[in-house]
Amino acid sequence: MKKITSAIILSGLIAGCGSDTIKTQTNTKSLPETASCPTGKYGYTIAIHGGAGVMANLTEDQQAAHRETLTAALRIGTEQLDKGMSALDVVEQVVMFLEDDPKYNAGKGAVFSAAAENELDASIMDGRDRNAGSVAGVKTVRNPIRAARAVMENSRHVMLQGDGAESFAADQGLAIVEPAYFHTDHRYIQMQQKLERQKSEYRPFDGPASTRFGTVGAVVLDNCGNLAAGTSTGGLTAKKWGRVGDTPIIGAGTYADNRYCAISSTGTGEYFIRASIARDVCARRQYLGESLKDASDHMIHGVLTDMGGDGGIIAIDADGNHAFSFNTPGMYRGLARNGRIEEVEIYE
Ligand code: ASP
């Protein structure tokens, strides 16, 4: 049993599954090991996304390819949950799978910055104790979601960025790659086109939404009744000046609290940060007693839309309810419950 420190009263939040512990930066309490939820005890739910946007020009083949990948990601998640794996482990595995897929703006296939680099952001949160970790602006970590989890579990911090985050990831024994690993031609061309358009006027959010979206995320309720959320992205095409979006910001891009909800966001991150979208969905449930769907729709179709922002969220709660809320024409998304894939959709 590893010792962890906490002043937080965890009873009631944490289902008592298994015997081992995880390590956090601020607790003295022991959390139950995550990988031993008895199968079928509560029933599980997994929701995933691959970004939100216009997606108007997708060919039939491209749509089919996305549906296939989202289905495969859900299968990985359901197989693991069937075996009793924890929400946290499943979030990590499913996000890793999507990071490795070049279709998405995360890991391999991430968008390029104006300096022709791939700068990756990711975060993860454990709904049992609201422990969280994130990395921003990493250029050599193959799977940023793994680095985020390592920050959460093996450092005293929540967020690491840049070179420091990379050396931490290397010290943790995570896979480190050459920056060229993340390169895809279509993302490189998107960046060149955007820079060309920006020659006349700098408009950070300009351009076809297909060049801005493709972030990936997962929210999971496991058989122990625990929630977890994770999100990973390359950010915005042709971003400058070390720009960081909502994805690594806990409360904006990612949030999980066993009592209220688990959220992963996608869209123009500046708005998600300004509106604390992910945390506020949970807060509306906490303070106003709203349903997951009402709270999600309020934040996306009310708050985000009123501010002029675009994007969406995937949300689940500890009762297995889910909500997909987005104000863009489409959001790559999927849902599975208790071994059954219930939804894989792109458009409204
Ligand atoms: N939210 C991400 C960011 O702003 C981008 C996205 O989800 O498409 O960095």
Side-chain angles (χ1 to χ4, degrees), residues 49-52 105 121 205 209 211-216 231-236 239 243-248 253 265-273 310-312:
H49 73 79
N105 174 18
D121 305 330
F205 307 145
T211 70
R212 311 204 307 253
F213 296 108
T215 293
V216 303
T231 315
S232 183
T233 192
L236 300 185
K239 62 188 179 183
R243 180 267 183 190
V244 175
D246 60 314
T247 301
S265 309
T266 176
T268 305
E270 281 68 9
Y271 296 94
F272 284 75
I273 296 171
D310 54 352

Side-chain angles (χ1 to χ4, degrees), residues 98-270:
L98 293 170
E99 285 177 338
D100 288 345
D101 189 305
K103 288 194 292 303
Y104 299 96
N105 174 18
K108 185 167 181 62
V111 301
F112 283 85
S113 72
E117 293 181 309
N118 305 107
E119 299 170 13
L120 311 171
D121 305 330
S123 64
I124 194 163
M125 188 158 183
D126 185 340
R128 296 178 300 167
D129 61 349
R130 287 169 285 160
N131 198 8
S134 74
V135 292
V138 293
K139 300 174 188 172
T140 59
V141 180
R142 174 176 163 159
N143 291 108
I145 194 72
R146 292 200 72 194
R149 184 167 179 181
V151 172
M152 174 174 83
E153 294 183 339
N154 301 329
S155 85
R156 302 175 60 81
H157 310 296
V158 170
M159 180 187 261
L160 300 180
Q161 58 85 32
D163 294 347
E166 288 177 359
S167 53
F168 173 78
D171 288 350
Q172 291 291 308
L174 302 185
I176 301 298
V177 292
E178 289 297 321
Y181 163 81
F182 300 106
H183 178 102
T184 52
D185 287 344
H186 79 284
R187 293 297 191 189
Y188 194 80
I189 291 165
Q190 284 175 354
M191 177 270 294
Q192 287 177 314
Q193 289 171 341
K194 186 158 183 186
L195 288 179
E196 203 51 47
R197 280 196 305 276
Q198 287 178 350
K199 276 188 180 154
S200 44
E201 185 190 357
Y202 179 63
R203 292 162 62 197
F205 307 145
D206 141 13
S210 59
T211 70
R212 311 204 307 253
F213 296 108
T215 293
V216 303
V219 289
V220 174
L221 166 70
D222 65 25
N223 280 314
C224 282
N226 293 317
L227 293 173
T231 315
S232 183
T233 192
L236 300 185
T237 302
K239 62 188 179 183
K240 290 181 178 172
W241 309 307
R243 180 267 183 190
V244 175
D246 60 314
T247 301
I249 311 287
I250 298 302
T254 299
Y255 201 76
D257 181 331
N258 272 9
R259 297 167 297 180
Y260 306 112
C261 67
I263 308 286
S264 172
S265 309
T266 176
T268 305
E270 281 68 9

Side-chain angles (χ1 to χ4, degrees), residues 70-121:
L70 293 170
T71 304
L74 287 172
R75 286 224 174 87
I76 289 170
T78 54
E79 273 164 25
Q80 293 177 341
L81 287 158
D82 278 337
K83 287 185 195 142
M85 272 176 77
S86 73
L88 206 53
D89 288 339
V90 173
V91 162
E92 182 185 11
Q93 293 297 315
V94 168
V95 171
M96 274 177 66
F97 174 75
L98 293 170
E99 285 177 338
D100 288 345
D101 189 305
K103 288 194 292 303
Y104 299 96
N105 174 18
K108 185 167 181 62
V111 301
F112 283 85
S113 72
E117 293 181 309
N118 305 107
E119 299 170 13
L120 311 171
D121 305 330

